[in-house]
Amino acid sequence: MKCKVLFCRSLPLVLAALLVGCGDSESESQGTNNSRTIELLRRLDWDTSTPEWVKVEPEGGFPALLADPNFRDPVRQINTFAVFADWFYRCLPTDSDTKHFLEYFMATAYDSEDFIWNQRGLLPSGYEAALPVVRGSAEYLPGVSSWTTDSERGREFPVLNSAAADSIIGLVMKQVPKDFCAIGFGQWQQNYVSGSILTLPWSVPVDTDQNPVVFQDDADASEAVSTGNPNRHKFVLGPITWLSMALDVRAWDRQSEKSSFESTILQGREHWQHLHENVGVNEALCKQFTSEEETQGPYPPVVSDFINRVMKFLCNRPASCQSELAMESLVEAVALTLEGTLCKQQGHEWNYMTYESGVDALQRAQSFLRDESTPTKGPNVQAINQAATVVQKFYFGEDFSKRPFSSPLISPLLPPATVIPGSSTTSH
């Protein structure tokens, strides 16, 4: 297994990375569920010759892109999330369990986001013209940003923002009392959000047998979202990574002795510091894309209401931490609301998605991904599809009869495939 440390700003981060994500198969047993998953996913045969974008410039040029709500809303929301997360994290007492959890989860989420944003041949940006905005670079924000679009700092910027947003989602999941609801919520929110971020103008996943489609929208369902990309529910863009991260959320509370997470916490602490160093750019982008209409962004109303209530004032960080305790209480209240809203609806019970069955499913999926039968010593297509099928069965039941998610309703694609049968639309 190769060791990848993409951004090394300090010795502690390097040491933590060596402990958590690198080395041979024995050391792979260390770290988080997600760090082990990502190390296996990196072994897939990605086409690194593909460009980092799908199209150079949108119709109508760069001004049209900046005016497009489907581009503006995710930019506004992800940068607002980053501002809020930075403020909230820094307000927490140094030795609080919540702060240590956010450090731990920032590290495990960073593994996914680094892979998703920076693995060539996986998820190119919709437009080359959008990259300076997405990466918060000086080409778009001269005098505010200090890095260029293609620098390591520029490539890290969206990784940190996404990982910070994931960490807040992870904190909400942590507060959800029932395991199955927390695990279900992790994939449910990704299922919904991917409708805006895995299609033009934002980004488009590459169609490849290394990353098969595992779910499809039910086109006839009234709740279905028309994304323009029928291939958005791909294996590594939610199904296996959010299963891994959901199990990491529950593993934190199951481990009373947190010393085993020490290196992961250290790594996450470094990432939070790097996020803070960038937060002026997040604030500038938040202000740049703030809308008087207060559009909901990519989340459904139950989540968007929370986001708008706690973040609409956060293009400027609060001057003090006096409201931090109120925010913690609000996060807990939102978690309880989500449990009552999502986990008890008739027609899509989630109680079969237990922690134990999730651990079993992930371990079996990872075992398939350890196949080394290809010339590059990675898993073959059959092994990848077997891993994807294990994840499908976890979410939809052994007989695929469960309907765990609503808005939009989705079904498993059997077998996992690169292109949905009967679809004339390709993603790249």
Side-chain angles (χ1 to χ4, degrees):
M1 180 186 304
K2 68 178 181 178
C3 169
K4 179 180 180 183
V5 182
L6 182 62
F7 304 106
C8 302
R9 295 187 186 175
S10 68
L11 182 59
L13 176 57
V14 176
L15 292 175
L18 289 171
L19 287 169
V20 174
C22 308
D24 56 22
S25 58
E26 182 176 350
S27 66
E28 184 186 41
S29 64
Q30 304 174 30
T32 66
N33 290 296
N34 198 46
S35 67
R36 292 189 289 273
T37 293
I38 296 303
E39 284 299 323
L40 291 169
L41 294 177
R42 290 193 189 280
R43 297 172 59 244
L44 304 187
D45 189 19
W46 303 105
D47 182 2
T48 57
S49 67
T50 59
E52 294 184 300
W53 58 85
V54 176
K55 300 181 180 182
V56 174
E57 193 168 279
E59 184 177 351
F62 188 58
L65 178 66
L66 296 183
D68 187 343
N70 292 320
F71 182 73
R72 293 180 60 89
D73 288 351
V75 173
R76 178 178 67 90
Q77 196 161 82
I78 195 66
N79 283 282
T80 310
F81 248 126
V83 175
F84 170 74
D86 172 70
W87 170 79
F88 186 75
Y89 168 78
R90 294 179 72 82
C91 282
L92 292 168
T94 301
D95 294 327
S96 72
D97 180 78
T98 299
K99 190 158 196 166
H100 288 325
F101 171 79
L102 287 175
E103 291 165 342
Y104 157 84
F105 200 78
M106 172 64 113
T108 197
Y110 186 100
D111 284 339
S112 281
E113 299 298 352
D114 174 22
F115 173 66
I116 290 169
W117 281 102
N118 291 306
Q119 174 60 58
R120 186 70 67 87
L122 174 59
L123 186 67
S125 175
Y127 297 94
E128 182 185 14
L131 286 176
V133 179
V134 172
R135 295 178 180 173
S137 63
E139 285 90 337
Y140 181 68
L141 292 171
V144 177
S145 174
S146 62
W147 58 83
T148 60
T149 299
D150 292 328
S151 65
E152 286 190 348
R153 188 91 177 265
R155 293 174 187 276
E156 186 184 30
F157 182 72
V159 174
L160 290 167
N161 299 338
S162 299
D166 291 346
S167 297
I168 298 301
I169 292 168
L171 183 60
V172 172
M173 292 165 65
K174 182 180 184 297
Q175 301 299 326
V176 172
K178 293 183 174 61
D179 287 346
F180 67 83
C181 186
I183 293 170
F185 171 63
Q187 184 56 49
W188 173 81
Q189 60 85 27
Q190 176 62 22
N191 169 39
Y192 197 98
V193 172
S194 67
S196 64
I197 63 175
L198 298 184
T199 189
L200 288 174
W202 189 251
S203 61
V204 183
V206 173
D207 278 339
T208 169
D209 55 17
Q210 302 295 291
N211 189 20
V213 180
V214 295
F215 309 148
Q216 63 184 108
D217 291 341
D218 286 4
D220 296 332
S222 60
E223 299 92 341
V225 173
S226 177
T227 68
N229 177 19
N231 303 323
R232 68 190 180 96
H233 297 289
K234 291 180 137 330
F235 178 46
V236 308
L237 297 175
I240 193 170
T241 50
W242 268 102
L243 173 57
S244 300
M245 288 193 288
L247 296 177
D248 285 334
V249 170
R250 305 320 266 186
W252 174 267
D253 284 332
R254 277 176 159 74
Q255 180 60 267
S256 58
E257 177 52 61
K258 300 297 193 288
S259 60
S260 60
F261 300 134
E262 186 175 350
S263 61
T264 307
I265 290 171
L266 174 62
Q267 189 177 15
R269 190 174 300 157
E270 291 289 328
H271 294 323
W272 280 108
Q273 177 58 33
H274 298 166
L275 178 78
H276 182 67
E277 293 166 4
N278 296 344
V279 76
V281 175
N282 297 120
E283 290 176 337
L285 286 168
C286 176
K287 293 174 182 176
Q288 179 78 26
F289 289 92
T290 295
S291 169
E292 292 183 1
E293 289 80 12
E294 289 296 328
T295 53
Q296 296 294 308
Y299 286 99
V302 67
V303 179
S304 290
D305 179 62
F306 161 67
I307 292 170
N308 286 335
R309 283 172 64 190
V310 304
M311 296 192 212
K312 62 184 179 181
F313 62 90
L314 278 173
C315 283
N316 289 307
R317 286 164 288 172
S320 74
C321 295
Q322 292 180 354
S323 57
E324 175 265 319
L325 289 176
M327 291 296 182
E328 282 199 85
S329 298
L330 183 57
V331 168
E332 185 174 358
V334 168
L336 293 173
T337 300
L338 286 173
E339 185 166 83
T341 302
L342 295 176
C343 300
K344 299 178 181 178
Q345 289 189 34
Q346 186 176 3
H348 64 104
E349 300 299 326
W350 292 7
N351 56 11
Y352 60 91
M353 286 189 271
T354 66
Y355 175 79
E356 291 75 18
S357 63
V359 169
D360 178 67
L362 183 61
Q363 288 178 345
R364 287 189 289 132
Q366 289 174 339
S367 71
F368 286 119
L369 295 178
R370 289 190 179 92
D371 173 70
E372 296 182 350
S373 62
T374 65
T376 58
K377 299 298 182 182
N380 60 33
V381 173
Q382 181 182 12
I384 295 170
N385 279 353
Q386 286 174 313
T389 301
V390 168
V391 174
Q392 285 177 318
K393 286 184 177 181
F394 170 73
Y395 286 116
F396 286 91
E398 285 292 325
D399 60 356
F400 299 103
S401 63
K402 307 294 186 182
R403 298 300 298 269
F405 308 118
S406 66
S407 187
L409 287 171
I410 58 176
S411 300
L413 182 64
L414 303 172
T418 301
V419 179
I420 292 178
S423 170
S424 60
T425 304
T426 58
S427 63
H428 187 52

